Amino acid sequence: MATRSILAVLLSTSVLPVLALGAQEPTGASGDSAFLLATDNSQRSPSPFVGNGRIGIVVPPLGIGASSTFMAGLYEHGRDDVPRIVALPDWNAIDVFDGSGWLTATPAGAAIGSYRQVVDMKTGTARTQFNWNGASGTTVLVETFASRADPRITAIQLTLTPRLDRRMRVRFALAGRPPPRRLPLAKLDQAPPDWKPDDIWYPGHMRIRSRRAAARSDGAHLALTSVPDGRTAPLLRQTAFTRWPRELPNATVRTKAAGDTALVEIAFDAAKGRSYQFLHVATADTAGVSERAPSPVGDAAAAARHGFDVLAAANQRAWARRWQTDIRIEGDTALQRVVRSMLFYLLSSADSGTAIGIPPMGLSSGGYYGHIFWDSDTWMFPPLLLTHPDIAHSMVAFRTRTLPAARANARMNGYRGAMYPWEADEVGTETTPRFAIQNARSEVHVNGDVALAQWQYYLATGDSTWLARDGYPVIQATAEFWLSRTTFDSAAGKFRIRDVVSVSEGLIGVTDDAYTNAVARKNLEIAAAASRRLGVRPDPRWMGVASKLHLPYDSASQFFRTYEGAPDSTLGWVTPLLAYPLGIPMSPRAKRAQLEQAFARLLEAGPGAMMGSTILAVGAAELNDRRMVDTLLPHSYAQHLKGPFLMLSETPTNDAVNFVTGAGGFLQQVIFGWTGLRFGDDGIEPAFPPLLPSRVTRLVLCNISIKGKRHDVIVDSAGRRVVPAECRAAA
């Protein structure tokens, strides 16, 4: 489970029907329904998440009650386990007692009516409303967001409207989580076949160091500090401030700080038909995780004094600035909502100034332990580079920041230069579980993927100062790695790369894997090109090895093989990736043959891992094959959508959500497939004529960044136009 196959379409043998999206148009505060995701089912699954790129909050069905919250770059390392992204101590441990029972203890679906939950992607806000205990019960409204204006802040506003006079209690807490039941993944040589993702993808744990709770005249202040398991730093500081109406009748307030919890409980006499609003603002910050200074202990109180509406308005303005860059689709409202959801979940998982990559599940879960794979560089980075280059900068900055760790990893494995981990934690060390150790040792294509992303950042921004200071050291060190990882076959007069794990990860110990060799060649060529741009003499060995590095091309059939000597049964598993994203020169016949091989497998077996099926349509558009584009489009996303909040599963049949890697791949289909554009010396350049699916009448990449200037890319029946930005944020 720690390994993934890129075009493993044979993993799934069932072909599910295309989802009928948009049957019910959501309604909410946003003026554009394509920004809204909604449900009337209180038992909906899976739960969505909202985030600000630094903090991601899983939204529980009732809107309140402890649920997982993740912080970008905060990891632990339990004994005999692998490092893991942690679930923060719960800041949203909120509950309501109405005299007969506690709300969060209500059985799923029982006593809950008139339910509505909406995620407004335009503001990153979740809104949950329902009736509890029928005509004699209480109407509950919960609004939640992680502030994009100040990414340390999260906020919940709880509104209670009882239908009868009653004594009620409301409890707010900061609460530590129990430690997980750990598996010794750093030692286990084999993964039992009956393991499911939830068995091993439990989040990491924070140990509580201190707790405090105190009531004031204007509310209650709660505070926790904690440190990651297995580490002495960083220190996480969490504060919360809870406000309630001053005129609460017969109110009593109780605070408690003990064990792993700091809480406040407010009891009051509630009057029939009257609404009572409670505001709970929390902060979470730690030195070393963000570029911001640690927040003072009073930040939550200061923020809460502004009130929910002021905090929500600042958050909305910050999101509005993000949505000035948009992907607009005409002709298919449901597809527009899907595309927006993919960009939204990426934006919820990444921010500028973090110097961290994006895990495969973003900030939605502990999936894949929160490790950083090539997913971040190859799948999620390119669409963010054009839409939000400041966020993309964080992703390439992660590789620059962790270059010393990659150099150490290369030395440990007997190579020169830098060997980036297959799975990295926040400091860039190799964190792959023992049962997948072959990936850590031999799935070395990740080095080329890292270098390609660095070069793409330079092409898109034209920032030569950044290239010299940050990008070039990474490109140079990864090129040096390939010089020591290749061997010269004197009989054939070629360089070879032996004993690798292929991109199609079931192929272990192969020689001259097509993708690995192609991305290694690309890395060496990029190093030479970057040297010339900077006026530095390139190492002559780079182009010497690149020119003789073997690619397994079959001259009889005129297309590339999966690896040297690969059987026909593997055709199409890897080679479509040579055309895109690598751009390896080849004939149209070779491109079509390789794409049709993968296409045939997809139609026969159904989609497997979403990464692979999303990218095929880029090749189909390049071949100007609308039939294939139309056929591939639903296969590339529809069977992966789970639940009303359009969460993506890694494969159609597993429950690994929310797979934002797949979102990145799908957005590349739109941005680099339908438009016919590629990264080049001008930032982006036309590579082939645009081609829209039949379902889409017009596409606008609104306000994208090309070498520091803003442009709109318009594709419609008149063709493709790249013009100075005129888009306006959606109303």
Side-chain angles (χ1 to χ4, degrees):
M1 282 173 285
T3 60
R4 282 93 43 81
S5 179
I6 305 313
L7 284 175
V9 294
L10 296 179
L11 288 177
S12 174
T13 57
S14 61
V15 178
L16 307 179
V18 174
L19 299 184
L21 301 173
Q24 176 185 14
E25 291 295 320
T27 58
S30 181
D32 184 347
S33 66
F35 276 104
L36 301 175
L37 307 173
T39 183
D40 296 330
N41 180 7
S42 63
Q43 301 182 66
R44 87 292 181 276
S45 180
S47 288
F49 81 107
V50 295
N52 57 24
R54 307 223 182 190
I55 294 175
I57 307 164
V58 177
V59 181
L62 298 179
I64 60 171
S67 65
S68 297
T69 299
F70 299 92
M71 177 181 282
L74 186 56
Y75 290 71
E76 53 98 277
H77 193 178
R79 184 177 179 182
D80 296 332
D81 202 353
V82 296
R84 297 173 179 274
I85 193 170
V86 303
L88 302 188
D90 294 317
W91 68 280
N92 53 358
I94 302 171
D95 212 345
V96 181
F97 185 79
D98 70 346
S100 61
W102 290 96
L103 174 56
T104 62
T106 303
I112 301 296
S114 301
Y115 181 87
R116 185 71 167 166
Q117 188 168 69
V118 179
V119 170
D120 186 341
M121 297 183 289
K122 192 175 180 184
T123 64
T125 302
R127 177 186 172 95
T128 309
Q129 185 167 7
F130 54 90
N131 293 335
W132 175 34
N133 286 334
S136 61
T138 302
T139 296
V140 179
L141 170 63
V142 186
E143 297 165 278
T144 306
F145 62 85
S147 176
R148 193 109 213 173
D150 185 338
R152 301 166 295 184
I153 292 175
T154 54
I156 289 178
Q157 181 166 268
L158 170 66
T159 305
L160 304 173
T161 309
R163 291 185 178 81
L164 296 176
D165 295 343
R166 56 166 48 92
R167 184 79 174 165
M168 300 188 76
R169 284 187 279 162
V170 188
R171 181 182 296 163
F172 300 85
L174 294 176
R177 292 182 151 231
R181 182 182 176 185
R182 291 193 184 275
L183 296 169
L185 297 189
K187 291 184 173 181
L188 284 177
D189 288 325
Q190 289 187 328
D194 59 341
W195 272 358
K196 295 179 175 61
D198 285 347
D199 296 329
I200 62 173
W201 289 350
Y202 46 85
H205 180 246
M206 299 292 290
R207 290 179 286 113
I208 304 301
R209 294 281 296 273
S210 68
R211 76 291 304 150
R212 185 157 64 91
R216 302 180 181 178
S217 60
D218 59 345
H221 183 270
L222 311 175
L224 286 181
T225 63
S226 57
V227 293
D229 267 3
R231 297 181 178 178
T232 58
L235 180 70
L236 173 68
R237 302 171 181 87
Q238 290 175 277
T239 68
F241 197 83
T242 304
R243 294 182 63 185
W244 52 86
R246 289 181 179 272
E247 67 275 14
L248 276 182
N250 295 320
T252 60
V253 178
R254 179 178 70 91
T255 60
K256 180 180 179 181
D260 286 354
T261 302
L263 67 83
V264 60
E265 185 173 289
I266 308 101
F268 64 102
D269 292 337
K272 172 184 176 181
R274 184 172 178 182
S275 294
Y276 301 91
Q277 275 190 345
F278 299 81
L279 173 61
H280 184 66
V281 177
T283 66
D285 203 3
T286 178
V289 173
S290 74
E291 292 179 352
R292 293 177 180 267
S295 56
V297 74
D299 263 11
R305 278 192 285 271
H306 288 296
F308 183 84
D309 290 345
V310 171
L311 296 176
N315 173 60
Q316 182 172 346
R317 288 192 297 271
W319 270 104
R321 288 191 291 272
R322 285 293 175 197
W323 284 116
Q324 287 175 359
T325 298
D326 194 8
I327 300 172
R328 299 181 184 173
I329 290 173
E330 296 180 13
D332 192 324
T333 302
L335 185 60
Q336 172 71 88
R337 189 177 297 116
V338 168
V339 168
R340 285 238 176 90
S341 73
M342 293 184 181
L343 186 54
F344 171 73
Y345 287 130
L346 280 174
L347 292 175
S348 295
S349 298
D351 195 14
S352 60
T354 60
I356 193 74
I358 308 178
M361 307 300 175
L363 296 180
S364 71
S365 77
Y368 285 114
Y369 328 102
H371 294 171
I372 311 299
F373 292 76
W374 72 306
D375 305 39
S376 183
D377 308 88
T378 300
W379 301 92
M380 294 179 267
F381 170 77
L384 288 172
L385 178 53
L386 286 187
T387 57
H388 300 277
D390 60 324
I391 293 178
H393 179 270
S394 286
M395 301 166 77
V396 289
F398 170 65
R399 299 303 191 179
T400 303
R401 177 171 65 83
T402 60
L403 178 56
R407 289 186 181 279
N409 192 38
R411 289 194 298 271
M412 185 178 68
N413 284 277
Y415 302 113
R416 298 192 301 274
M419 181 177 176
Y420 279 92
W422 176 239
E423 302 184 31
D425 61 7
E426 85 285 13
V427 293
T429 57
E430 179 60 75
T431 56
T432 302
R434 175 73 186 180
F435 63 74
I437 194 65
Q438 72 277 359
N439 298 77
R441 293 171 177 166
S442 302
E443 193 155 0
V444 291
H445 66 78
V446 63
N447 277 328
D449 304 318
V450 168
L452 179 57
Q454 303 284 316
W455 185 239
Q456 288 173 334
Y457 183 83
Y458 167 70
L459 291 176
T461 64
D463 189 342
S464 57
T465 301
W466 171 88
L467 179 64
R469 183 188 64 239
D470 298 330
Y472 186 69
V474 173
I475 292 168
Q476 183 182 39
T478 49
E480 185 71 14
F481 168 82
W482 294 115
L483 295 182
S484 64
R485 189 61 175 82
T486 54
T487 57
F488 187 65
D489 181 346
S490 57
K494 296 179 180 296
F495 284 94
R496 300 187 183 278
I497 303 178
R498 305 180 189 276
D499 189 24
V500 302
V501 174
S502 171
V503 170
S504 182
E505 293 174 2
L507 305 175
I508 300 171
V510 302
T511 293
D512 292 336
D513 170 66
Y515 183 87
T516 302
N517 285 29
V519 81
R521 177 187 287 184
K522 193 81 174 178
N523 192 164
L524 294 164
E525 292 170 345
I526 286 170
S531 297
R532 291 191 292 270
R533 295 290 174 94
L534 296 174
V536 177
R537 181 177 179 271
D539 187 328
R541 295 175 297 173
W542 294 341
M543 291 308 297
V545 172
S547 64
K548 295 182 179 179
L549 185 55
H550 180 58
L551 289 183
Y553 183 74
D554 187 327
S555 57
S557 57
Q558 297 185 34
F559 54 74
F560 291 92
R561 309 292 292 190
T562 305
Y563 60 91
E564 185 63 28
D568 287 351
S569 59
T570 67
L571 292 176
W573 286 13
V574 169
T575 51
L577 298 176
L578 304 188
Y580 185 84
L582 297 188
I584 299 300
M586 66 182 77
S587 68
R589 176 176 176 178
K591 289 179 182 179
R592 179 169 291 279
Q594 291 157 181
L595 184 60
E596 288 181 344
Q597 291 158 4
F599 185 52
R601 290 181 181 278
L602 180 66
L603 295 182
E604 176 186 356
M610 189 179 178
M611 308 164 78
S613 57
T614 58
I615 222 76
L616 295 179
V618 180
E622 183 173 358
L623 293 171
N624 197 37
D625 191 329
R626 179 171 273 112
R627 179 191 65 85
M628 191 179 289
V629 168
D630 287 345
T631 304
L632 284 169
L633 178 57
H635 281 288
S636 66
Y637 77 95
Q639 299 176 40
H640 297 268
L641 294 175
K642 304 295 182 185
F645 299 104
L646 307 185
M647 306 287 279
L648 294 170
S649 62
E650 185 180 21
T651 73
T653 56
N654 73 14
D655 56 359
V657 295
N658 185 8
F659 192 55
V660 292
T661 297
F666 185 88
L667 293 177
Q668 289 192 61
Q669 174 184 165
V670 176
I671 295 172
F672 301 106
W674 301 353
T675 67
L677 296 173
R678 291 288 188 275
F679 292 116
D681 288 341
D682 293 329
I684 57 171
E685 303 173 341
F688 53 88
L691 182 68
L692 295 177
S694 299
R695 293 164 53 180
V696 176
T697 57
R698 193 170 190 256
L699 167 68
V700 181
L701 306 183
C702 182
N703 197 38
I704 65 169
S705 179
I706 304 172
K707 290 200 170 183
K709 296 182 179 180
R710 292 287 172 170
H711 294 79
D712 299 337
V713 177
I714 303 166
V715 180
D716 54 21
S717 59
R720 173 186 56 222
R721 302 179 299 286
V722 180
V723 299
E726 295 181 353
C727 283
R728 297 292 182 264

